[in-house]
Each structure stands twice: as C-alpha cells, then as structure tokens.
Amino acid sequence: EAGVVQSPRYKIIEKKQPVAFWCNPISGHNTLYWYRQNLGQGPELLIRYENEEAVDDSQLPKDRFSAERLKGVDSTLKIQPAELGDSAVYLCASSFGDFSGNTIYFGEGSWLTVV
Amino acid sequence: DAKTTQPTSMDCAEGRAANLPCNHSTISGNEYVYWYRQIHSQGPQYIIHGLKNNETNEMASLIITEDRKSSTLILPHATLRDTAVYYCIVRVGDNAGNMLTFGGGTRLMVKP
C-alpha cells in the first residue's frame, strides 16, 4: 500500500514568488496534517483537516499561507508571496480518524529553499 | 500534550541494544506514548506506541513504567541505519487536539 505522497520533493524559488505543495494521503485516511520543520528542529503543526474541514489552523500564518482539501482527499498548501524565512521542509501526514491511538503517518516532505 | 524530556544525544555500538529514555512526568491517563524517528532528509517514521502496557513490534520494544512517568525505547540490535533523531511524544486522547507535538528528540549515533 502506498504511503503519504508529496510533491514536489525539492523546490527553489526567489523571494516574493508563489509556491504550492501537494499531498495525497494514505487511502481511507480522513485526517490530514501539514507540518513545517525548520533546520535542526522538530516538526510543528500548521493545519489539521478532518475530511474537508480545517479543524485546527491556529498555527497557519494566514497572511501568506493557505491550504485546501476540497474533496476530503488530496490537499494543497500554498505560500504567496514566499519570504526567506519560509525555507523549511513541509511535511504532510495522515491518519484514520481522530482517535489518538491511531497512528499518524508522514510523507517524505517537500524541501523549500527561498533565495 | 504532556511535555517530554529526552537526552540530546546518545551513542551506541553496532549490534548492541540501544536504550533511549524519555521522561513524561505530567502524562495524563488518556495520553499515549509515541515514538518516531527521522533519518536525515526523510519524513518522520513511526516506530511504536503504547498506553500502559509494554509493546513490541518488528522494529522495537517500548517499556513504560508502572506510574507511566517515563518510558524506554529499545532497539535490540542497533545497525548503522538506525542512526537518526528519535522523538518521544505523548499524545492527548480526546478532542483537545489530535496531533503530535514534537520536541527536540535524541540524536542516536550508531558506531561500528
């Protein structure tokens, strides 16, 4: 069974340009997460979806970041415009349901470098 | 989520058991203990989790103390490919926030 799939794997953009990351969760997983990981630190949650609904977006910088999960499956995370400080790894994860005994699985991440 | 404390780094000889400790003295009764690891340039990889009882799978064993205030992840025969950052996370079991809150983790170096 395929795991969480993310693309692109690597992206280099100039500051002020837009960028988008795509995530396909594990089949059947209705909960989807976007995390950001800065160099040398642990991942930090940006947003959590239950099906199509964003149930926790308190850590998402809403002035430049947006996310959507229109049909409750795939999700897109967008940054516009990108800033130098946005350079990080953007991780997508998914789980089945919201019970904390259900494991959350991560994708390989999308590495963003803003120059 | 309850806060965890892990050593910043540890070394282990190849072929020996790696025992990674984690303190979570403020853990609540409905919080699970999860372990993930992250190898350089990869996403976090799930290892194991438990609530009260000790757990074992093909990757590792998880030993939780009776008072649940600490736990130990055991890699029985460490290999060079086990070199990674290991995260111990306690996860709340209600609607307060079904997510993982990562700390700094333990950087395990397996040496030949």
Side-chain angles (χ1 to χ4, degrees):
Chain A
E1 181 180 340
V4 177
V5 179
Q6 293 188 243
S7 69
R9 189 81 167 88
Y10 302 96
K11 189 75 174 179
I12 302 174
I13 61 171
E14 295 184 344
K15 63 181 180 182
K16 300 185 181 180
Q17 294 301 306
V19 64
F21 306 110
W22 174 82
C23 173
N24 179 242
I26 292 172
S27 179
H29 282 192
N30 59 319
T31 304
L32 184 146
Y33 312 76
W34 282 102
Y35 280 79
R36 177 171 59 186
Q37 185 172 24
N38 293 315
L39 188 64
Q41 300 180 18
E44 296 177 323
L45 181 72
L46 291 174
I47 190 168
R48 173 169 69 99
Y49 282 94
E50 297 290 344
N51 300 304
E52 305 87 3
E53 183 182 0
V55 296
D56 183 358
D57 63 354
S58 58
Q59 302 304 311
L60 189 72
K62 298 180 182 61
D63 56 337
R64 297 182 300 106
F65 286 66
S66 65
E68 61 182 13
R69 194 184 184 200
L70 294 176
K71 296 184 178 180
V73 180
D74 295 359
S75 178
T76 303
L77 178 69
K78 298 178 181 178
I79 309 174
Q80 182 171 11
E83 298 180 351
L84 295 177
D86 296 331
S87 295
V89 180
Y90 291 85
L91 295 159
C92 181
S94 71
S95 67
F96 177 70
D98 60 1
F99 174 53
S100 64
N102 291 343
T103 303
I104 297 175
Y105 295 94
F106 285 81
E108 291 300 308
S110 293
W111 292 63
L112 174 66
T113 301
V114 182
V115 297
Chain B
D1 288 346
K3 189 173 182 178
T4 62
T5 303
Q6 299 178 254
T8 303
S9 64
M10 293 181 61
D11 290 343
C12 177
E14 187 179 19
R16 303 295 295 269
N19 297 287
L20 290 87
C22 179
N23 287 320
H24 30 79
S25 59
T26 60
I27 193 169
S28 300
N30 64 349
E31 291 182 319
Y32 283 77
V33 179
Y34 273 80
W35 283 84
Y36 283 77
R37 73 180 182 183
Q38 192 169 24
I39 298 170
H40 181 63
S41 80
Q42 297 182 20
Q45 178 188 23
Y46 166 76
I47 301 173
I48 199 167
H49 74 281
L51 183 61
K52 297 180 180 178
N53 299 322
N54 298 336
E55 302 288 343
T56 296
N57 62 22
E58 65 278 5
M59 289 183 67
S61 294
L62 173 61
I63 308 299
I64 303 174
T65 58
E66 191 169 346
D67 63 7
R68 302 186 70 241
K69 293 184 177 183
S70 66
S71 61
T72 301
L73 178 74
I74 300 173
L75 308 177
H77 305 285
T79 70
L80 299 179
R81 282 180 286 187
D82 291 323
T83 293
V85 177
Y86 288 76
Y87 294 99
C88 169
I89 303 163
V90 291
R91 185 175 168 197
V92 70
D94 57 27
N95 292 329
N98 180 38
M99 63 181 190
L100 298 168
T101 301
F102 288 80
T106 295
R107 186 171 298 275
L108 176 68
M109 179 73 70
V110 180
K111 298 183 175 180

PDB file of all heavy atoms in Angstrom, chain B residues 23-55:
ATOM      1  N   ASN B  23      11.346  10.958  29.665  1.00  0.00           N
ATOM      2  CA  ASN B  23      10.571  11.316  30.850  1.00  0.00           C
ATOM      3  C   ASN B  23       9.327  12.088  30.448  1.00  0.00           C
ATOM      4  O   ASN B  23       9.407  13.019  29.638  1.00  0.00           O
ATOM      5  CB  ASN B  23      11.413  12.156  31.807  1.00  0.00           C
ATOM      6  CG  ASN B  23      12.458  11.324  32.509  1.00  0.00           C
ATOM      7  OD1 ASN B  23      12.193  10.191  32.906  1.00  0.00           O
ATOM      8  ND2 ASN B  23      13.654  11.861  32.655  1.00  0.00           N
ATOM      9  N   HIS B  24       8.203  11.690  31.010  1.00  0.00           N
ATOM     10  CA  HIS B  24       6.929  12.388  30.755  1.00  0.00           C
ATOM     11  C   HIS B  24       6.145  12.382  32.057  1.00  0.00           C
ATOM     12  O   HIS B  24       5.079  11.752  32.155  1.00  0.00           O
ATOM     13  CB  HIS B  24       6.147  11.744  29.607  1.00  0.00           C
ATOM     14  CG  HIS B  24       6.356  10.279  29.429  1.00  0.00           C
ATOM     15  ND1 HIS B  24       5.734   9.324  30.215  1.00  0.00           N
ATOM     16  CD2 HIS B  24       7.124   9.602  28.550  1.00  0.00           C
ATOM     17  CE1 HIS B  24       6.098   8.129  29.818  1.00  0.00           C
ATOM     18  NE2 HIS B  24       6.954   8.257  28.806  1.00  0.00           N
ATOM     19  N   SER B  25       6.668  13.087  33.036  1.00  0.00           N
ATOM     20  CA  SER B  25       6.139  13.021  34.408  1.00  0.00           C
ATOM     21  C   SER B  25       4.742  13.615  34.545  1.00  0.00           C
ATOM     22  O   SER B  25       4.056  13.330  35.526  1.00  0.00           O
ATOM     23  CB  SER B  25       7.098  13.711  35.371  1.00  0.00           C
ATOM     24  OG  SER B  25       7.276  15.059  34.986  1.00  0.00           O
ATOM     25  N   THR B  26       4.313  14.438  33.587  1.00  0.00           N
ATOM     26  CA  THR B  26       2.982  15.054  33.694  1.00  0.00           C
ATOM     27  C   THR B  26       1.951  14.372  32.795  1.00  0.00           C
ATOM     28  O   THR B  26       0.888  14.924  32.550  1.00  0.00           O
ATOM     29  CB  THR B  26       3.059  16.553  33.337  1.00  0.00           C
ATOM     30  OG1 THR B  26       3.546  16.681  31.993  1.00  0.00           O
ATOM     31  CG2 THR B  26       3.987  17.289  34.280  1.00  0.00           C
ATOM     32  N   ILE B  27       2.254  13.188  32.369  1.00  0.00           N
ATOM     33  CA  ILE B  27       1.352  12.469  31.456  1.00  0.00           C
ATOM     34  C   ILE B  27       0.009  12.197  32.130  1.00  0.00           C
ATOM     35  O   ILE B  27      -0.059  11.912  33.331  1.00  0.00           O
ATOM     36  CB  ILE B  27       2.004  11.163  30.975  1.00  0.00           C
ATOM     37  CG1 ILE B  27       1.230  10.576  29.795  1.00  0.00           C
ATOM     38  CG2 ILE B  27       2.143  10.170  32.117  1.00  0.00           C
ATOM     39  CD1 ILE B  27       1.960   9.430  29.107  1.00  0.00           C
ATOM     40  N   SER B  28      -1.060  12.302  31.352  1.00  0.00           N
ATOM     41  CA  SER B  28      -2.395  12.019  31.856  1.00  0.00           C
ATOM     42  C   SER B  28      -2.808  10.601  31.491  1.00  0.00           C
ATOM     43  O   SER B  28      -2.201   9.969  30.638  1.00  0.00           O
ATOM     44  CB  SER B  28      -3.401  13.014  31.262  1.00  0.00           C
ATOM     45  OG  SER B  28      -3.070  14.332  31.605  1.00  0.00           O
ATOM     46  N   GLY B  29      -3.877  10.138  32.154  1.00  0.00           N
ATOM     47  CA  GLY B  29      -4.273   8.752  31.985  1.00  0.00           C
ATOM     48  C   GLY B  29      -4.686   8.366  30.585  1.00  0.00           C
ATOM     49  O   GLY B  29      -4.608   7.203  30.205  1.00  0.00           O
ATOM     50  N   ASN B  30      -5.116   9.345  29.780  1.00  0.00           N
ATOM     51  CA  ASN B  30      -5.588   9.020  28.430  1.00  0.00           C
ATOM     52  C   ASN B  30      -4.580   9.388  27.351  1.00  0.00           C
ATOM     53  O   ASN B  30      -4.921   9.430  26.167  1.00  0.00           O
ATOM     54  CB  ASN B  30      -6.918   9.730  28.159  1.00  0.00           C
ATOM     55  CG  ASN B  30      -6.771  11.239  28.170  1.00  0.00           C
ATOM     56  OD1 ASN B  30      -5.736  11.769  28.580  1.00  0.00           O
ATOM     57  ND2 ASN B  30      -7.785  11.931  27.730  1.00  0.00           N
ATOM     58  N   GLU B  31      -3.372   9.669  27.736  1.00  0.00           N
ATOM     59  CA  GLU B  31      -2.340  10.057  26.764  1.00  0.00           C
ATOM     60  C   GLU B  31      -1.464   8.867  26.391  1.00  0.00           C
ATOM     61  O   GLU B  31      -0.964   8.154  27.253  1.00  0.00           O
ATOM     62  CB  GLU B  31      -1.474  11.189  27.312  1.00  0.00           C
ATOM     63  CG  GLU B  31      -2.230  12.505  27.420  1.00  0.00           C
ATOM     64  CD  GLU B  31      -1.353  13.640  27.912  1.00  0.00           C
ATOM     65  OE1 GLU B  31      -0.554  13.405  28.829  1.00  0.00           O
ATOM     66  OE2 GLU B  31      -1.466  14.753  27.371  1.00  0.00           O
ATOM     67  N   TYR B  32      -1.292   8.705  25.084  1.00  0.00           N
ATOM     68  CA  TYR B  32      -0.453   7.658  24.559  1.00  0.00           C
ATOM     69  C   TYR B  32       0.994   8.141  24.470  1.00  0.00           C
ATOM     70  O   TYR B  32       1.252   9.324  24.242  1.00  0.00           O
ATOM     71  CB  TYR B  32      -0.907   7.258  23.157  1.00  0.00           C
ATOM     72  CG  TYR B  32      -2.135   6.379  23.135  1.00  0.00           C
ATOM     73  CD1 TYR B  32      -3.405   6.904  23.342  1.00  0.00           C
ATOM     74  CD2 TYR B  32      -2.022   5.013  22.882  1.00  0.00           C
ATOM     75  CE1 TYR B  32      -4.523   6.092  23.311  1.00  0.00           C
ATOM     76  CE2 TYR B  32      -3.142   4.191  22.845  1.00  0.00           C
ATOM     77  CZ  TYR B  32      -4.385   4.743  23.062  1.00  0.00           C
ATOM     78  OH  TYR B  32      -5.494   3.930  23.027  1.00  0.00           O
ATOM     79  N   VAL B  33       1.934   7.222  24.555  1.00  0.00           N
ATOM     80  CA  VAL B  33       3.343   7.497  24.299  1.00  0.00           C
ATOM     81  C   VAL B  33       3.670   6.984  22.904  1.00  0.00           C
ATOM     82  O   VAL B  33       3.470   5.807  22.605  1.00  0.00           O
ATOM     83  CB  VAL B  33       4.257   6.813  25.331  1.00  0.00           C
ATOM     84  CG1 VAL B  33       5.724   7.112  25.011  1.00  0.00           C
ATOM     85  CG2 VAL B  33       3.903   7.271  26.739  1.00  0.00           C
ATOM     86  N   TYR B  34       4.147   7.869  22.047  1.00  0.00           N
ATOM     87  CA  TYR B  34       4.523   7.535  20.688  1.00  0.00           C
ATOM     88  C   TYR B  34       6.022   7.756  20.499  1.00  0.00           C
ATOM     89  O   TYR B  34       6.611   8.663  21.079  1.00  0.00           O
ATOM     90  CB  TYR B  34       3.801   8.447  19.685  1.00  0.00           C
ATOM     91  CG  TYR B  34       2.444   7.962  19.251  1.00  0.00           C
ATOM     92  CD1 TYR B  34       1.318   8.156  20.045  1.00  0.00           C
ATOM     93  CD2 TYR B  34       2.288   7.306  18.031  1.00  0.00           C
ATOM     94  CE1 TYR B  34       0.075   7.704  19.644  1.00  0.00           C
ATOM     95  CE2 TYR B  34       1.044   6.852  17.613  1.00  0.00           C
ATOM     96  CZ  TYR B  34      -0.058   7.054  18.420  1.00  0.00           C
ATOM     97  OH  TYR B  34      -1.289   6.602  18.015  1.00  0.00           O
ATOM     98  N   TRP B  35       6.606   6.919  19.662  1.00  0.00           N
ATOM     99  CA  TRP B  35       7.997   7.107  19.251  1.00  0.00           C
ATOM    100  C   TRP B  35       8.049   7.157  17.724  1.00  0.00           C
ATOM    101  O   TRP B  35       7.478   6.301  17.027  1.00  0.00           O
ATOM    102  CB  TRP B  35       8.881   5.976  19.760  1.00  0.00           C
ATOM    103  CG  TRP B  35       9.221   6.089  21.213  1.00  0.00           C
ATOM    104  CD1 TRP B  35       8.473   5.664  22.270  1.00  0.00           C
ATOM    105  CD2 TRP B  35      10.411   6.667  21.770  1.00  0.00           C
ATOM    106  NE1 TRP B  35       9.119   5.945  23.454  1.00  0.00           N
ATOM    107  CE2 TRP B  35      10.311   6.549  23.176  1.00  0.00           C
ATOM    108  CE3 TRP B  35      11.556   7.258  21.217  1.00  0.00           C
ATOM    109  CZ2 TRP B  35      11.311   7.015  24.035  1.00  0.00           C
ATOM    110  CZ3 TRP B  35      12.546   7.705  22.078  1.00  0.00           C
ATOM    111  CH2 TRP B  35      12.411   7.588  23.466  1.00  0.00           C
ATOM    112  N   TYR B  36       8.748   8.174  17.250  1.00  0.00           N
ATOM    113  CA  TYR B  36       9.054   8.320  15.839  1.00  0.00           C
ATOM    114  C   TYR B  36      10.559   8.519  15.705  1.00  0.00           C
ATOM    115  O   TYR B  36      11.230   8.925  16.644  1.00  0.00           O
ATOM    116  CB  TYR B  36       8.361   9.552  15.242  1.00  0.00           C
ATOM    117  CG  TYR B  36       6.895   9.387  14.962  1.00  0.00           C
ATOM    118  CD1 TYR B  36       5.960   9.445  15.995  1.00  0.00           C
ATOM    119  CD2 TYR B  36       6.431   9.181  13.666  1.00  0.00           C
ATOM    120  CE1 TYR B  36       4.605   9.295  15.734  1.00  0.00           C
ATOM    121  CE2 TYR B  36       5.079   9.039  13.389  1.00  0.00           C
ATOM    122  CZ  TYR B  36       4.171   9.090  14.433  1.00  0.00           C
ATOM    123  OH  TYR B  36       2.832   8.940  14.171  1.00  0.00           O
ATOM    124  N   ARG B  37      11.063   8.251  14.522  1.00  0.00           N
ATOM    125  CA  ARG B  37      12.450   8.595  14.244  1.00  0.00           C
ATOM    126  C   ARG B  37      12.519   9.287  12.891  1.00  0.00           C
ATOM    127  O   ARG B  37      11.645   9.094  12.035  1.00  0.00           O
ATOM    128  CB  ARG B  37      13.357   7.380  14.270  1.00  0.00           C
ATOM    129  CG  ARG B  37      13.216   6.424  13.081  1.00  0.00           C
ATOM    130  CD  ARG B  37      14.172   5.275  13.232  1.00  0.00           C
ATOM    131  NE  ARG B  37      14.126   4.348  12.102  1.00  0.00           N
ATOM    132  CZ  ARG B  37      14.834   3.223  12.042  1.00  0.00           C
ATOM    133  NH1 ARG B  37      15.641   2.888  13.044  1.00  0.00           N
ATOM    134  NH2 ARG B  37      14.740   2.446  10.989  1.00  0.00           N
ATOM    135  N   GLN B  38      13.567  10.064  12.728  1.00  0.00           N
ATOM    136  CA  GLN B  38      13.744  10.807  11.488  1.00  0.00           C
ATOM    137  C   GLN B  38      15.191  10.671  11.038  1.00  0.00           C
ATOM    138  O   GLN B  38      16.098  11.158  11.715  1.00  0.00           O
ATOM    139  CB  GLN B  38      13.355  12.271  11.660  1.00  0.00           C
ATOM    140  CG  GLN B  38      13.235  13.008  10.350  1.00  0.00           C
ATOM    141  CD  GLN B  38      12.597  14.363  10.514  1.00  0.00           C
ATOM    142  OE1 GLN B  38      12.625  14.958  11.582  1.00  0.00           O
ATOM    143  NE2 GLN B  38      12.014  14.891   9.428  1.00  0.00           N
ATOM    144  N   ILE B  39      15.346   9.996   9.948  1.00  0.00           N
ATOM    145  CA  ILE B  39      16.641   9.862   9.308  1.00  0.00           C
ATOM    146  C   ILE B  39      16.819  11.062   8.392  1.00  0.00           C
ATOM    147  O   ILE B  39      15.862  11.547   7.792  1.00  0.00           O
ATOM    148  CB  ILE B  39      16.726   8.534   8.547  1.00  0.00           C
ATOM    149  CG1 ILE B  39      16.577   7.381   9.549  1.00  0.00           C
ATOM    150  CG2 ILE B  39      18.017   8.413   7.755  1.00  0.00           C
ATOM    151  CD1 ILE B  39      16.396   6.019   8.923  1.00  0.00           C
ATOM    152  N   HIS B  40      18.034  11.524   8.287  1.00  0.00           N
ATOM    153  CA  HIS B  40      18.319  12.746   7.534  1.00  0.00           C
ATOM    154  C   HIS B  40      17.650  12.752   6.168  1.00  0.00           C
ATOM    155  O   HIS B  40      17.737  11.783   5.429  1.00  0.00           O
ATOM    156  CB  HIS B  40      19.832  12.908   7.370  1.00  0.00           C
ATOM    157  CG  HIS B  40      20.205  14.156   6.632  1.00  0.00           C
ATOM    158  ND1 HIS B  40      19.915  15.418   7.115  1.00  0.00           N
ATOM    159  CD2 HIS B  40      20.786  14.344   5.431  1.00  0.00           C
ATOM    160  CE1 HIS B  40      20.345  16.318   6.259  1.00  0.00           C
ATOM    161  NE2 HIS B  40      20.882  15.696   5.220  1.00  0.00           N
ATOM    162  N   SER B  41      16.973  13.850   5.882  1.00  0.00           N
ATOM    163  CA  SER B  41      16.309  14.153   4.620  1.00  0.00           C
ATOM    164  C   SER B  41      15.072  13.293   4.372  1.00  0.00           C
ATOM    165  O   SER B  41      14.562  13.242   3.257  1.00  0.00           O
ATOM    166  CB  SER B  41      17.270  14.045   3.437  1.00  0.00           C
ATOM    167  OG  SER B  41      17.458  12.699   3.054  1.00  0.00           O
ATOM    168  N   GLN B  42      14.576  12.616   5.402  1.00  0.00           N
ATOM    169  CA  GLN B  42      13.347  11.855   5.262  1.00  0.00           C
ATOM    170  C   GLN B  42      12.294  12.368   6.230  1.00  0.00           C
ATOM    171  O   GLN B  42      12.603  13.070   7.188  1.00  0.00           O
ATOM    172  CB  GLN B  42      13.598  10.368   5.520  1.00  0.00           C
ATOM    173  CG  GLN B  42      14.549   9.723   4.530  1.00  0.00           C
ATOM    174  CD  GLN B  42      14.741   8.252   4.796  1.00  0.00           C
ATOM    175  OE1 GLN B  42      13.931   7.612   5.462  1.00  0.00           O
ATOM    176  NE2 GLN B  42      15.810   7.690   4.257  1.00  0.00           N
ATOM    177  N   GLY B  43      11.035  12.007   6.000  1.00  0.00           N
ATOM    178  CA  GLY B  43       9.975  12.359   6.926  1.00  0.00           C
ATOM    179  C   GLY B  43      10.022  11.493   8.173  1.00  0.00           C
ATOM    180  O   GLY B  43      10.659  10.435   8.184  1.00  0.00           O
ATOM    181  N   PRO B  44       9.378  11.928   9.254  1.00  0.00           N
ATOM    182  CA  PRO B  44       9.354  11.109  10.478  1.00  0.00           C
ATOM    183  C   PRO B  44       8.740   9.741  10.199  1.00  0.00           C
ATOM    184  O   PRO B  44       7.722   9.625   9.517  1.00  0.00           O
ATOM    185  CB  PRO B  44       8.483  11.934  11.431  1.00  0.00           C
ATOM    186  CG  PRO B  44       8.601  13.343  10.939  1.00  0.00           C
ATOM    187  CD  PRO B  44       8.704  13.215   9.447  1.00  0.00           C
ATOM    188  N   GLN B  45       9.363   8.715  10.771  1.00  0.00           N
ATOM    189  CA  GLN B  45       8.915   7.337  10.599  1.00  0.00           C
ATOM    190  C   GLN B  45       8.346   6.827  11.908  1.00  0.00           C
ATOM    191  O   GLN B  45       9.013   6.895  12.947  1.00  0.00           O
ATOM    192  CB  GLN B  45      10.088   6.460  10.160  1.00  0.00           C
ATOM    193  CG  GLN B  45       9.737   4.989   9.989  1.00  0.00           C
ATOM    194  CD  GLN B  45      10.957   4.123   9.753  1.00  0.00           C
ATOM    195  OE1 GLN B  45      12.074   4.485  10.103  1.00  0.00           O
ATOM    196  NE2 GLN B  45      10.741   2.962   9.150  1.00  0.00           N
ATOM    197  N   TYR B  46       7.142   6.316  11.870  1.00  0.00           N
ATOM    198  CA  TYR B  46       6.513   5.740  13.064  1.00  0.00           C
ATOM    199  C   TYR B  46       7.292   4.505  13.506  1.00  0.00           C
ATOM    200  O   TYR B  46       7.688   3.659  12.678  1.00  0.00           O
ATOM    201  CB  TYR B  46       5.067   5.373  12.766  1.00  0.00           C
ATOM    202  CG  TYR B  46       4.418   4.473  13.794  1.00  0.00           C
ATOM    203  CD1 TYR B  46       3.997   4.986  15.011  1.00  0.00           C
ATOM    204  CD2 TYR B  46       4.252   3.117  13.558  1.00  0.00           C
ATOM    205  CE1 TYR B  46       3.411   4.165  15.964  1.00  0.00           C
ATOM    206  CE2 TYR B  46       3.664   2.295  14.497  1.00  0.00           C
ATOM    207  CZ  TYR B  46       3.241   2.819  15.702  1.00  0.00           C
ATOM    208  OH  TYR B  46       2.672   1.998  16.642  1.00  0.00           O
ATOM    209  N   ILE B  47       7.501   4.379  14.830  1.00  0.00           N
ATOM    210  CA  ILE B  47       8.168   3.193  15.354  1.00  0.00           C
ATOM    211  C   ILE B  47       7.197   2.351  16.164  1.00  0.00           C
ATOM    212  O   ILE B  47       6.956   1.178  15.861  1.00  0.00           O
ATOM    213  CB  ILE B  47       9.373   3.577  16.247  1.00  0.00           C
ATOM    214  CG1 ILE B  47      10.386   4.406  15.456  1.00  0.00           C
ATOM    215  CG2 ILE B  47      10.035   2.305  16.795  1.00  0.00           C
ATOM    216  CD1 ILE B  47      11.520   4.952  16.326  1.00  0.00           C
ATOM    217  N   ILE B  48       6.621   2.943  17.205  1.00  0.00           N
ATOM    218  CA  ILE B  48       5.809   2.181  18.132  1.00  0.00           C
ATOM    219  C   ILE B  48       5.037   3.135  19.022  1.00  0.00           C
ATOM    220  O   ILE B  48       5.400   4.308  19.145  1.00  0.00           O
ATOM    221  CB  ILE B  48       6.714   1.244  18.969  1.00  0.00           C
ATOM    222  CG1 ILE B  48       5.937   0.104  19.620  1.00  0.00           C
ATOM    223  CG2 ILE B  48       7.510   2.038  20.014  1.00  0.00           C
ATOM    224  CD1 ILE B  48       6.846  -0.995  20.187  1.00  0.00           C
ATOM    225  N   HIS B  49       3.946   2.677  19.627  1.00  0.00           N
ATOM    226  CA  HIS B  49       3.259   3.478  20.619  1.00  0.00           C
ATOM    227  C   HIS B  49       2.610   2.574  21.656  1.00  0.00           C
ATOM    228  O   HIS B  49       2.403   1.367  21.408  1.00  0.00           O
ATOM    229  CB  HIS B  49       2.230   4.418  19.982  1.00  0.00           C
ATOM    230  CG  HIS B  49       0.974   3.750  19.488  1.00  0.00           C
ATOM    231  ND1 HIS B  49       0.929   3.074  18.288  1.00  0.00           N
ATOM    232  CD2 HIS B  49      -0.267   3.678  20.019  1.00  0.00           C
ATOM    233  CE1 HIS B  49      -0.296   2.617  18.091  1.00  0.00           C
ATOM    234  NE2 HIS B  49      -1.047   2.963  19.135  1.00  0.00           N
ATOM    235  N   GLY B  50       2.275   3.155  22.810  1.00  0.00           N
ATOM    236  CA  GLY B  50       1.632   2.387  23.871  1.00  0.00           C
ATOM    237  C   GLY B  50       0.900   3.300  24.839  1.00  0.00           C
ATOM    238  O   GLY B  50       1.144   4.501  24.881  1.00  0.00           O
ATOM    239  N   LEU B  51       0.029   2.701  25.613  1.00  0.00           N
ATOM    240  CA  LEU B  51      -0.739   3.461  26.606  1.00  0.00           C
ATOM    241  C   LEU B  51      -0.283   3.108  28.025  1.00  0.00           C
ATOM    242  O   LEU B  51       0.141   3.971  28.774  1.00  0.00           O
ATOM    243  CB  LEU B  51      -2.229   3.166  26.452  1.00  0.00           C
ATOM    244  CG  LEU B  51      -3.172   3.950  27.367  1.00  0.00           C
ATOM    245  CD1 LEU B  51      -3.062   5.437  27.115  1.00  0.00           C
ATOM    246  CD2 LEU B  51      -4.620   3.494  27.162  1.00  0.00           C
ATOM    247  N   LYS B  52      -0.376   1.837  28.365  1.00  0.00           N
ATOM    248  CA  LYS B  52       0.017   1.402  29.709  1.00  0.00           C
ATOM    249  C   LYS B  52       0.958   0.202  29.655  1.00  0.00           C
ATOM    250  O   LYS B  52       1.925   0.126  30.404  1.00  0.00           O
ATOM    251  CB  LYS B  52      -1.218   1.031  30.533  1.00  0.00           C
ATOM    252  CG  LYS B  52      -2.168   2.172  30.793  1.00  0.00           C
ATOM    253  CD  LYS B  52      -3.360   1.700  31.611  1.00  0.00           C
ATOM    254  CE  LYS B  52      -4.322   2.859  31.875  1.00  0.00           C
ATOM    255  NZ  LYS B  52      -5.518   2.396  32.639  1.00  0.00           N
ATOM    256  N   ASN B  53       0.644  -0.711  28.757  1.00  0.00           N
ATOM    257  CA  ASN B  53       1.409  -1.950  28.704  1.00  0.00           C
ATOM    258  C   ASN B  53       2.656  -1.803  27.848  1.00  0.00           C
ATOM    259  O   ASN B  53       2.729  -0.944  26.975  1.00  0.00           O
ATOM    260  CB  ASN B  53       0.542  -3.073  28.129  1.00  0.00           C
ATOM    261  CG  ASN B  53      -0.675  -3.343  28.979  1.00  0.00           C
ATOM    262  OD1 ASN B  53      -0.613  -3.300  30.202  1.00  0.00           O
ATOM    263  ND2 ASN B  53      -1.786  -3.601  28.320  1.00  0.00           N
ATOM    264  N   ASN B  54       3.631  -2.646  28.095  1.00  0.00           N
ATOM    265  CA  ASN B  54       4.799  -2.696  27.231  1.00  0.00           C
ATOM    266  C   ASN B  54       4.381  -3.218  25.860  1.00  0.00           C
ATOM    267  O   ASN B  54       3.461  -4.033  25.747  1.00  0.00           O
ATOM    268  CB  ASN B  54       5.866  -3.594  27.842  1.00  0.00           C
ATOM    269  CG  ASN B  54       6.357  -3.069  29.170  1.00  0.00           C
ATOM    270  OD1 ASN B  54       6.265  -1.878  29.454  1.00  0.00           O
ATOM    271  ND2 ASN B  54       6.864  -3.963  29.991  1.00  0.00           N
ATOM    272  N   GLU B  55       5.044  -2.743  24.842  1.00  0.00           N
ATOM    273  CA  GLU B  55       4.705  -3.126  23.487  1.00  0.00           C
ATOM    274  C   GLU B  55       5.963  -3.541  22.730  1.00  0.00           C
ATOM    275  O   GLU B  55       7.052  -3.029  23.006  1.00  0.00           O
ATOM    276  CB  GLU B  55       4.050  -1.955  22.740  1.00  0.00           C
ATOM    277  CG  GLU B  55       2.780  -1.406  23.380  1.00  0.00           C
ATOM    278  CD  GLU B  55       1.583  -2.334  23.258  1.00  0.00           C
ATOM    279  OE1 GLU B  55       1.628  -3.256  22.409  1.00  0.00           O
ATOM    280  OE2 GLU B  55       0.594  -2.122  23.997  1.00  0.00           O
TER     281      GLU B  55
END
